[in-house]
């Protein structure tokens, strides 16, 4: 099988080269899978933010709430403004936005992440297919080498 110009056919590679390609693909797959997990976590965070904004209703004005200072430390407070929220827009910057504008922002981030996740999933699938192909060619080459060794050993004894 001839590879397109500028590419090398897997069949033309030695087993050691195939192992190197396989290791590189495994490393890339690990990195892409980790990135996928990070993007999913970010998407989940933005979804939680949208749910939190939805929970702020005019009927809740002046109700007692717990304000988180850390993930496990809270102080009591009262909800004074049900129309505006302060949004973390990244790199330590916070902006006051209307609840509607905040939901629009979070929704656009979720949609962008969904698009990126789809692209990343396609890349992961392609890399997985490539890794399987390399594994298969490596398995065949190793089997062929074993056959040659057996034949060479068998013909020397006769």
């Amino acid at each position: 099988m001839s590879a397109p110009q500028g590419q090398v056919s897997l069949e033309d590679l030695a087993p050691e080269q195939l192992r190197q390609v396989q290791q590189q693909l495994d490393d890339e797959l690990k990195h892409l899978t980790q990135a996928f997990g990070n993007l999913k976590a970010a998407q989940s965070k933005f979804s939680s933010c949208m749910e939190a904004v939805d929970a702020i209703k005019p009927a809740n004005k002046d109700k007692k709430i717990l304000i988180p200072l850390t993930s496990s430390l809270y102080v009591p407070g009262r909800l004074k403004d049900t129309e505006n929220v302060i949004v973390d827009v990244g790199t330590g910057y916070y902006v006051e936005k209307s609840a509607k504008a905040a939901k629009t922002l979070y929704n656009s981030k979720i949609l962008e992440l969904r698009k990126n996740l789809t692209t990343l999933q396609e890349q992961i699938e392609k890399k997985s297919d490539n890794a399987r192909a390399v594994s298969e060619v490596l398995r065949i080459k190793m089997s062929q080498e074993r056959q040659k060794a057996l034949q060479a050993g068998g013909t020397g004894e006769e």
Side-chain angles (χ1 to χ4, degrees), residues 9-66:
S9 173
L10 291 176
E11 289 84 8
D12 295 339
L13 298 176
E16 186 55 39
Q17 292 172 313
L18 286 169
R19 283 188 201 92
Q20 290 172 351
V21 170
Q22 187 176 34
Q23 182 61 49
Q24 181 180 353
L25 286 170
D26 288 345
D27 291 346
E28 289 174 9
L29 266 170
K30 182 179 176 183
H31 174 73
L32 290 173
T33 303
Q34 185 177 17
F36 187 86
N38 292 341
L39 289 179
K40 278 299 245 187
Q43 187 180 40
S44 177
K45 176 185 160 193
F46 291 134
S47 293
S48 294
C49 289
M50 278 193 58
E51 290 170 11
V53 172
D54 282 336
I56 301 173
K57 299 183 181 350
N60 293 334
K61 188 171 185 167
D62 290 324
K63 284 194 174 180
K64 287 185 180 180
I65 60 170
L66 292 176

